[in-house]
Amino acid sequence: MIDKSIKIQRTQSVLKELIPEALSTLDDEMLRGVCVIDVECSRGKYDAIVYLDGSVYDEKEKSYILSHLHRVQRHIQTHCMQAEGWFRCPSFRFYFDDTLERQNKMDVLFAKVEEELKKGKKSDD
């Protein structure tokens, strides 16, 4: 069981490097600039969820990117198979990960709360 887990982690790590490499070979400037945050493979490695950084794109750009990534999926798979000598490659599902965006918003909120707390302490003195 541990061996399978290690194999999946290795595959995820390799895909995390190969997918941006494959994207960099495309003519589409928007797709070349997409940042892959993480990759999660299913147990059988038939499917992989690819998480992308969406913090720099608006909704229209995100929609464009997702639809075009779906179109070039075969190119990405071929690139990965050739680079690693694989006979098959997982099917990719692309999602924008907004965790970083939410974290940044939380950081801003905490900074505001901290400032207000400091103001409150100064007025108490």
Side-chain angles (χ1 to χ4, degrees), residues 59-110:
E59 290 306 313
K60 189 176 179 181
E61 290 170 325
K62 287 179 181 181
S63 177
Y64 172 89
I65 290 168
L66 290 176
S67 69
H68 283 73
L69 283 173
H70 182 71
R71 290 181 192 167
V72 298
Q73 180 175 187
R74 192 75 199 131
H75 169 77
I76 298 169
Q77 288 172 317
T78 301
H79 179 86
C80 294
M81 287 188 293
Q82 288 175 347
E84 287 297 303
W86 294 341
F87 293 105
R88 66 179 166 89
C89 186
S91 294
F92 300 119
R93 289 182 298 167
F94 297 96
Y95 295 100
F96 281 101
D97 184 7
D98 63 350
T99 307
L100 186 61
E101 217 171 309
R102 285 189 307 212
Q103 181 64 43
N104 289 341
K105 286 178 184 177
M106 296 277 288
D107 289 345
V108 168
L109 286 174
F110 283 128

Side-chain angles (χ1 to χ4, degrees), residues 37-54:
I37 295 175
D38 200 13
V39 178
E40 288 181 7
C41 291
S42 65
R43 282 194 172 201
K45 294 191 274 185
Y46 291 106
D47 296 300
I49 298 173
V50 181
Y51 294 100
L52 310 169
D53 179 14

